[in-house]
Amino acid sequence: MKSFSICCALLCFLQVHTQIKGKVIDINKNPIAFANVMLYTDDNETLIRGDITDENGNFNITSSSNTAEYRLKVSLLGFETWESMPFSYSSGSIKHMPEIVLNELIDQLDAITLVSKKKLIKRTQEGSIINVQESLLTKGSTALQLLERSPGVILDQRNNSFSLNGKSNTTVMINGKVIRIPTADVITMLNGMSADNIELIELLTNPSSKYDADGNAGIINIVLQKNENLGFRGNASISGGYGLGVKQTSSVSLNYGTEKIAAFGTYSFAYDDTLDGFRGIGSTTLPVFGGVTFIDFNSETARINRSQNLNLGVDYQLNKNSTLGASILLNSSRPTINRKNRGLYDFQENPYLDARIHLKSNANWKNYNASSFYEFSSDTHTFTVTTDYINYNNQSPNLVNSSYFNELGEPFQPEGDIYNTGNRGFNETNINVGVMKIDYKTTINEKLVIETGLKGSISKTKNTARIEIEEDGIFVTDDRFISNIETKEQIAALYTQGNYNINSKLNLQMGMRYEYWNQSFDESNLDRKFGKLFPSIFLTKTISDTTSWNIAFTKRITRPNYIDLASYLRYNSPTSVFTGNPQLLPAITNALNITYNYKSLSFSLIGTLEDNPIAYFQVTEDRRSDLAIISPQNLKYQNSLDLQINIPWRISNWWNINWNSTFGYRAYKLLHTPIETTNNYFHYNFNVNQTFNITDKLSLQLSGWYTSNHYNGSYKVDGFGSLNTGIKKSFKNGSSLQFTITDLLKSIDIKSSIGSLTREAYNNVFNVSYRPESARSSIFRLSYTYSFGNSKVKTGNSRTGAKDENSRIN
């Protein structure tokens, strides 16, 4: 009896360990992951066991059935179901199936709705689409956190800027509508926006001809979920933090939907008390100093920034095909600046001088944008008209007090007009822009889609600036510090493009955009106008469900920002001022991008030829040779070759890593230095995000970024980076609590050198070290977000045609 029991146990053991192994591939011999493999009895009535193929297409089914005949079925969305002939196997054996080839499903089933899991990352000709709702970390996150985790996106809060695949001048949009506020407030808004309401993020590194030709980096478009459920929904968030000063952000958004109307409103308030500064040590030959002068210059700036943003809008559905909408966005900010400069001057001919300069400024800027749109949409045609009016006004008066001491620390008044005891500055910039845009899209057949449209914009920029010098208690205007200029600009654009599916594996998109630009100044010798064609070509070859090649060629223009063209004046020292440059030319970029995508991996090789690129904060001499002008300047050209890599790595169910990096070569030519100079260099940068899912409701993030040595025009900048961390707790009611630490190691100490590449204006040679607030104290923030009401309420979707114009203001 005992022997019989042992035999039965052994028999059961052998049956349990009977295995059926195999591999599933497509017609191109590529493995197919996540296919369903089912083992049935021969009559197809009884399911014995199932498995899912791994990333290499392999499966392994164990069976304890004693049925003599079996059938194997393999299925996956987008492929025809494969079924084997009846087969048998011996208990305890290993059955090796021949390679199973799945054919793609061609016929479309109109009457059946298929529900499937989307890919997290989808590649297109224009870039990537991130289906954020497929990520477990989306719930409870903010829009800003989603962007930080998106491939190729680097958020630089030090400079309040986004970069996409290593390039700046990135446009940030929501539902195709540019966020019309400074980037610091964009960051605040996104940090208060719940990711639960975001459907996807589009990373358009190669925008086609239908987009404005401005910007050489691309577009980040955040697409909100759209549904037709009715009711009321809201979201509120509050954040408090501290570094060397207090940080506070609060926001609330409300949405209300009926069968015909979708209304929405958002209000946010941000308060930031911060401190930063720099030190520069070097020499200059400014004529006013009478020879070579050695300078040790320190600057410490305390800022308090208070900003408010209000966005209101409504959409009205006229009928099932037509929608009418309008929105208005109001932004205001009142930054207070308190800057203390101290310069130690060791002259060649004059005595030693200790100059202490105290600057106070209370600025006030306001911006509003009114938008409206009409859209008609049918199964084969879409017609859209958008109009925008933008007004931006910035007033930034300042008052400067100066005192001077000798090497013994005793106060005295040095000789010379530049050593005044005080001055005051007045700056006002006013910008008005009107935009109209018309777009038409038609589906010719299942293979060909045509889009066309036109756009026109008119703008007027008026800038008034002066600095008055105090003499015997009276402020007198200094001719060196007066600037009044008015600029008018007209832009007209016409585009057309076609998208043609050559076959199921090959797609071609070709487009052409013509833009005419006319700019006129008070001084007619500065006027300029031209018309240019901007072609775009995209070719996509799909190898399999997981593999594809993309080739893209685009030509784009980077116009100077309105502020860069304004002749504002901002006091820096008795012998230098910050200002704009009305003579700036737009940069023209030709780019060729070759991208290989395999599963979630992406490798891109990008070659760029750029004429007239813009470099900021360059020093030039003025006509009187006694004042240093710090302003943006055009380079002759800049050519680059970059390799961009995105590697997501899932180490385990609780540990995910995403690595983005760029390795590149730059070559450019300077025109603004006393001697025209060429330069070339290699550079790299990377961004690594790690997420640790401790529980379903608790996660930890560790992220770091680094950029290597590089150049900004004639300045050399040493490499620098930062390490950040945060922990998030989600609650059952949909709210979340998050604690973050910015610059954990206080490592952002940015060192640069002036005069090491070529001879600078006035033979300037300086080594400069800039330290932001986080380099002195890590910044700690605690944020709480809560959503209420119906989470599926209909959301308004007003839009704009002024993407280009808003980005140039911001």
Side-chain angles (χ1 to χ4, degrees):
M1 186 63 147
K2 183 177 181 180
S3 299
F4 178 75
S5 299
I6 293 174
C7 290
C8 290
L10 289 173
L11 181 60
C12 291
F13 177 82
L14 291 174
Q15 289 177 328
V16 169
H17 285 80
T18 297
Q19 300 179 63
I20 301 174
K21 294 185 175 183
K23 185 174 184 177
V24 181
I25 60 174
D26 61 19
I27 58 175
N28 295 310
K29 302 295 184 180
N30 298 302
I32 297 178
F34 309 117
N36 297 313
V37 184
M38 302 295 180
L39 181 66
Y40 288 89
T41 58
D42 184 24
D43 55 10
N44 285 337
E45 293 183 355
T46 304
L47 175 64
I48 304 300
R49 191 65 62 88
D51 192 19
I52 297 177
T53 58
D54 60 19
E55 291 187 354
N56 296 316
N58 297 318
F59 65 88
N60 186 358
I61 296 178
T62 60
S63 173
S64 58
S65 175
N66 293 320
T67 304
E69 296 290 327
Y70 302 88
R71 285 182 185 269
L72 202 64
K73 288 186 178 181
V74 182
S75 62
L76 181 63
L77 184 68
F79 292 88
E80 296 178 356
T81 299
W82 180 91
E83 183 175 340
S84 73
M85 297 295 293
F87 65 89
S88 60
Y89 60 86
S90 302
S91 297
S93 64
I94 299 178
K95 173 72 173 178
H96 291 279
M97 301 292 294
E99 285 188 333
I100 298 171
V101 180
L102 294 188
N103 296 315
E104 290 195 28
L105 186 62
I106 299 177
D107 295 333
Q108 303 295 319
L109 303 180
D110 296 331
I112 300 178
T113 300
L114 301 178
V115 179
S116 65
K117 188 176 180 66
K118 297 179 181 179
K119 293 180 182 179
L120 178 61
I121 301 176
K122 180 182 178 181
R123 309 294 178 181
T124 68
Q125 299 105 318
E126 296 177 325
S128 304
I129 298 176
I130 316 298
N131 292 301
V132 298
Q133 294 302 324
E134 301 303 319
S135 171
L136 297 176
L137 293 176
T138 295
K139 297 297 180 183
S141 295
T142 68
L144 190 66
Q145 292 166 342
L146 290 185
L147 281 183
E148 288 182 305
R149 294 197 294 264
S150 298
V153 177
I154 297 178
L155 169 63
D156 182 2
Q157 296 198 43
R158 174 183 59 84
N159 288 320
N160 289 323
S161 66
F162 290 96
S163 67
L164 185 56
N165 286 341
K167 293 186 177 181
S168 56
N169 296 322
T170 303
T171 301
V172 180
M173 300 160 49
I174 293 180
N175 283 345
K177 182 176 182 178
V178 173
I179 306 174
R180 305 168 182 82
I181 55 179
T183 309
D185 294 324
V186 172
I187 293 172
T188 298
M189 177 182 290
L190 296 180
N191 201 37
M193 180 184 295
S194 174
D196 296 354
N197 300 318
I198 297 176
E199 180 179 354
L200 53 87
I201 296 176
E202 296 177 329
L203 306 178
L204 307 178
T205 52
N206 303 300
S208 63
S209 297
K210 68 179 179 181
Y211 295 98
D212 290 315
D214 191 48
N216 64 356
I219 298 171
I220 299 174
N221 184 28
I222 300 171
V223 180
L224 302 180
Q225 291 182 342
K226 307 179 186 68
N227 49 68
E228 299 303 322
N229 289 28
L230 313 181
F232 174 80
R233 173 174 61 83
N235 178 274
S237 67
I238 185 169
S239 173
Y242 196 85
L244 292 177
V246 176
K247 291 61 169 83
Q248 189 274 327
T249 303
S250 56
S251 68
V252 60
S253 63
L254 303 173
N255 290 269
Y256 178 73
T258 68
E259 292 182 355
K260 291 283 188 179
I261 297 176
F264 58 92
T266 300
Y267 171 79
S268 66
F269 173 79
Y271 179 97
D272 189 7
D273 185 353
T274 186
L275 176 71
D276 65 354
F278 70 90
R279 183 182 185 185
I281 301 176
S283 63
T284 183
T285 59
L286 270 164
V288 71
F289 289 148
V292 178
T293 302
F294 296 93
I295 303 175
D296 185 349
F297 192 84
N298 270 283
S299 178
E300 295 288 332
T301 302
R303 292 182 178 87
I304 298 177
N305 190 43
R306 293 148 292 174
S307 62
Q308 300 183 75
N309 307 287
L310 177 65
N311 188 11
L312 301 173
V314 61
D315 294 358
Y316 181 73
Q317 188 170 340
L318 300 173
N319 51 55
K320 70 174 184 177
N321 297 115
S322 301
T323 304
L324 187 67
S327 66
I328 186 169
L329 182 69
L330 305 173
N331 316 113
S332 68
S333 181
R334 300 179 65 90
T336 298
I337 298 175
N338 193 336
R339 178 177 295 124
K340 293 182 179 180
N341 295 340
R342 185 179 184 184
L344 306 178
Y345 298 83
D346 189 359
F347 300 104
Q348 181 174 327
E349 299 179 1
N350 299 319
Y352 173 88
L353 174 65
D354 178 358
R356 302 178 190 180
I357 302 169
H358 187 193
L359 180 147
K360 292 183 178 180
S361 175
N362 293 287
N364 182 13
W365 68 259
K366 297 178 181 179
N367 175 48
Y368 70 85
N369 183 186
S371 303
S372 65
F373 78 91
Y374 168 78
E375 181 177 274
F376 174 84
S377 180
S378 66
D379 292 339
T380 59
H381 304 279
T382 301
F383 175 78
T384 307
V385 179
T386 59
T387 60
D388 287 83
Y389 174 72
I390 306 167
N391 175 262
Y392 173 87
N393 182 269
N394 184 7
Q395 301 180 41
S396 53
N398 60 73
L399 181 65
V400 179
N401 293 312
S402 304
S403 54
Y404 308 95
F405 303 84
N406 59 25
E407 54 188 339
L408 299 177
E410 300 169 341
F412 79 107
Q413 180 61 44
E415 297 180 359
D417 294 339
I418 67 170
Y419 302 113
N420 56 79
T421 57
N423 64 73
R424 62 186 183 185
F426 299 90
N427 277 292
E428 181 174 3
T429 301
N430 196 68
I431 303 172
N432 291 277
V433 185
V435 184
M436 185 173 183
K437 189 170 184 286
I438 300 174
D439 297 283
Y440 177 71
K441 179 180 179 181
T442 180
T443 302
I444 305 300
N445 51 50
E446 61 182 17
K447 285 192 172 186
L448 180 61
V449 177
I450 299 293
E451 296 180 68
T452 188
L454 56 88
K455 176 182 175 180
S457 70
I458 300 174
S459 67
K460 180 179 179 180
T461 302
K462 187 174 183 179
N463 180 255
T464 301
R466 73 180 187 275
I467 296 177
E468 298 176 347
I469 306 300
E470 185 179 13
E471 296 180 358
D472 299 326
I474 300 175
F475 286 97
V476 180
T477 301
D478 188 329
D479 293 340
R480 298 180 305 164
F481 303 115
I482 296 178
S483 178
N484 296 295
I485 193 168
E486 184 176 296
T487 306
K488 296 179 181 179
E489 181 183 83
Q490 299 89 36
I491 299 176
L494 173 68
Y495 80 89
T496 184
Q497 70 177 36
N499 190 84
Y500 182 67
N501 293 316
I502 299 174
N503 54 49
S504 61
K505 297 289 186 179
L506 194 60
N507 177 270
L508 175 65
Q509 183 184 105
M510 298 181 65
M512 184 68 70
R513 186 181 186 91
Y514 176 80
E515 291 202 1
Y516 174 79
W517 189 40
N518 182 18
Q519 190 177 36
S520 58
F521 295 81
D522 292 338
E523 300 179 21
S524 59
N525 62 307
L526 296 176
D527 292 354
R528 60 178 71 100
K529 58 183 177 181
F530 66 82
K532 283 188 179 296
L533 288 172
F534 297 92
S536 63
I537 303 174
F538 304 90
L539 184 65
T540 301
K541 173 66 175 179
T542 301
I543 307 300
S544 70
D545 188 52
T546 59
T547 309
S548 66
W549 283 92
N550 296 324
I551 300 177
F553 171 79
T554 57
K555 183 174 183 176
R556 301 185 64 77
I557 184 172
T558 302
R559 295 187 182 88
N561 292 334
Y562 294 114
I563 297 298
D564 294 335
L565 290 169
S567 55
Y568 67 89
L569 294 172
R570 192 169 73 244
Y571 186 86
N572 182 59
S573 74
T575 57
S576 64
V577 293
F578 291 95
T579 185
N581 182 2
Q583 301 185 59
L584 278 178
L585 299 173
I588 305 295
T589 303
N590 294 277
L592 179 64
N593 186 327
I594 302 175
T595 301
Y596 173 72
N597 303 305
Y598 175 69
K599 296 181 180 178
S600 296
L601 304 180
S602 175
F603 304 90
S604 297
L605 186 63
I606 303 173
T608 303
L609 303 177
E610 189 172 10
D611 294 327
N612 307 318
I614 300 171
Y616 292 89
F617 304 111
Q618 305 299 299
V619 179
T620 59
E621 302 177 4
D622 80 334
R623 288 172 296 183
R624 295 179 54 177
S625 298
D626 61 357
L627 193 66
I629 304 297
I630 306 172
S631 63
Q633 296 290 329
N634 286 114
L635 309 183
K636 176 66 175 178
Y637 64 82
Q638 178 170 269
N639 302 329
S640 62
L641 182 65
D642 293 313
L643 174 64
Q644 297 170 355
I645 302 173
N646 174 54
I647 304 176
W649 185 13
R650 185 179 183 183
I651 297 179
S652 67
N653 291 332
W654 55 272
W655 186 5
N656 293 276
I657 297 178
N658 198 86
W659 176 290
N660 296 280
S661 58
T662 300
F663 304 87
Y665 172 80
R666 297 277 190 276
Y668 64 92
K669 183 175 182 178
L670 300 170
L671 296 176
H672 67 275
T673 51
I675 301 175
E676 294 185 4
T677 304
T678 59
N679 185 37
N680 59 79
Y681 63 97
F682 289 92
H683 76 102
Y684 64 89
N685 62 67
F686 63 81
N687 185 319
V688 182
N689 288 284
Q690 298 187 70
T691 302
F692 305 89
N693 297 317
I694 302 172
T695 68
D696 291 342
K697 299 292 184 179
L698 185 65
S699 61
L700 175 68
Q701 285 189 351
L702 184 66
S703 66
W705 57 268
Y706 181 82
T707 183
S708 68
N709 297 348
H710 58 280
Y711 285 84
N712 172 36
S714 60
Y715 300 174
K716 180 183 178 182
V717 183
D718 293 346
F720 62 96
S722 175
L723 185 66
N724 312 302
T725 188
I727 188 168
K728 180 187 70 178
K729 171 65 177 176
S730 301
F731 302 97
K732 293 182 179 179
N733 64 357
S735 64
S736 65
L737 185 68
Q738 182 164 331
F739 176 72
T740 62
I741 304 175
T742 301
D743 203 357
L744 186 64
L745 303 179
K746 297 186 288 188
S747 59
I748 305 183
D749 187 354
I750 306 173
K751 294 181 170 59
S752 59
S753 59
I754 302 169
S756 60
L757 176 62
T758 185
R759 184 165 69 87
E760 292 279 353
Y762 306 116
N763 296 307
N764 286 348
V765 178
F766 283 91
N767 291 314
V768 181
S769 175
Y770 169 79
R771 301 184 71 221
E773 179 184 16
S774 65
R776 306 153 191 253
S777 172
S778 298
I779 299 174
F780 304 87
R781 287 187 177 90
L782 184 65
S783 305
Y784 178 74
T785 302
Y786 177 67
S787 299
F788 52 90
N790 180 4
S791 62
K792 296 183 179 180
V793 70
K794 184 177 180 179
T795 302
N797 187 30
S798 291
R799 61 207 73 178
T800 179
K803 305 181 183 74
D804 180 18
E805 291 72 21
N806 278 292
S807 64
R808 292 176 65 197
I809 287 179
N810 295 336

